[in-house]
């Protein structure tokens, strides 16, 4: 049977099952998690965006000083899929960034092989809760600095030092809008997870 054009090997060869893995994308409010999942997903991503209202401003979680044009926020999760290396399928789960939604993280990380912690150099402290969470639960992670237009560029090692990220954790500079940099981040995470937990 001829392969369908654009189909993955596991979609046309029924004797091959894809290796499916779950990846979590976490970080502070407005750091680019929804953008990252949308930029790389080969399916229409599921997004649970809700309009922001003045009521959320009173919670202290929705600080728009660094992202004044932001009008929506994730209230449950983002979901997307990307196929890498012929038969490796990554299912991406983006977490909501605000503290009032952190109770969902335990469910979102169950079964994940690793996480991407997105950071914004204008608000580095916003990624500390995600770093602490993945350190405490032992889930392999990488730190990806999402570079925003008009902001100062920093070297990965400068960010590592500012966040006191251990030397064995990869730190990358990327752009969540650009598919190629997101794919590179995912490949780095998969390689790191295999190094940490090869089984």
């Amino acid at each position: 049977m001829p392969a369908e054009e654009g189909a993955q090997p596991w979609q046309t060869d029924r004797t091959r099952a894809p290796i499916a893995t779950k990846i979590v994308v976490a970080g502070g409010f407005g750091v680019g998690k929804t953008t990252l999942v949308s930029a790389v997903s080969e399916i229409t991503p599921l997004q649970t965006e809700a309009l922001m209202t003045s009521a959320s401003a009173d919670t202290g979680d929705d600080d728009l000083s660094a992202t004044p044009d932001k009008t929506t926020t994730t209230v449950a999760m983002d979901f997307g899929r990307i196929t890498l290396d012929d038969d490796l399928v990554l299912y991406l789960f983006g977490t909501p960034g605000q503290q009032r939604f952190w109770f969902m993280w335990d469910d979102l990380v169950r079964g994940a092989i690793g996480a991407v912690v997105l950071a914004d150099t204008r608000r580095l402290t916003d990624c500390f809760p995600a770093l602490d969470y993945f350190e405490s639960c032992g889930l392999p992670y990488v730190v990806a600095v999402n570079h925003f237009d008009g902001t100062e560029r920093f070297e990965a090692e400068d960010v590592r030092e500012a966040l006191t990220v251990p030397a064995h954790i990869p730190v990358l500079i990327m752009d969540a809008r650009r598919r190629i940099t997101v794919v590179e981040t995912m490949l780095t995470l998969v390689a790191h997870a295999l190094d940490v937990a090869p089984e």
Side-chain angles (χ1 to χ4, degrees), residues 99-193:
Q99 184 175 356
R100 65 185 181 272
F101 298 123
W102 289 351
F103 69 91
M104 292 186 281
W105 285 24
D106 288 340
D107 290 328
L108 287 175
V109 303
R110 190 172 291 120
I113 66 158
V116 173
V117 176
L118 271 184
D120 178 349
T121 55
R122 298 169 297 179
R123 301 170 289 146
L124 277 181
T125 57
D126 289 359
C127 69
F128 280 129
L131 294 172
D132 291 342
Y133 182 87
F134 297 123
E135 280 288 337
S136 67
C137 72
L139 189 69
Y141 68 92
V142 300
V143 176
V145 178
N146 186 16
H147 180 70
F148 287 82
D149 291 339
T151 62
E152 185 178 351
R153 291 192 76 92
F154 292 91
E155 296 297 322
E157 288 310 306
D158 294 332
V159 175
R160 177 188 304 283
E161 184 177 340
L163 294 174
T164 62
V165 174
H168 70 281
I169 305 291
V171 177
L172 310 102
I173 309 296
M174 52 91 72
D175 184 337
R177 300 167 300 181
R178 296 186 57 228
R179 188 176 199 277
I180 187 65
T181 66
V182 177
V183 169
E184 289 168 354
T185 300
M186 295 302 157
L187 289 171
T188 300
L189 173 60
V190 170
H192 176 62

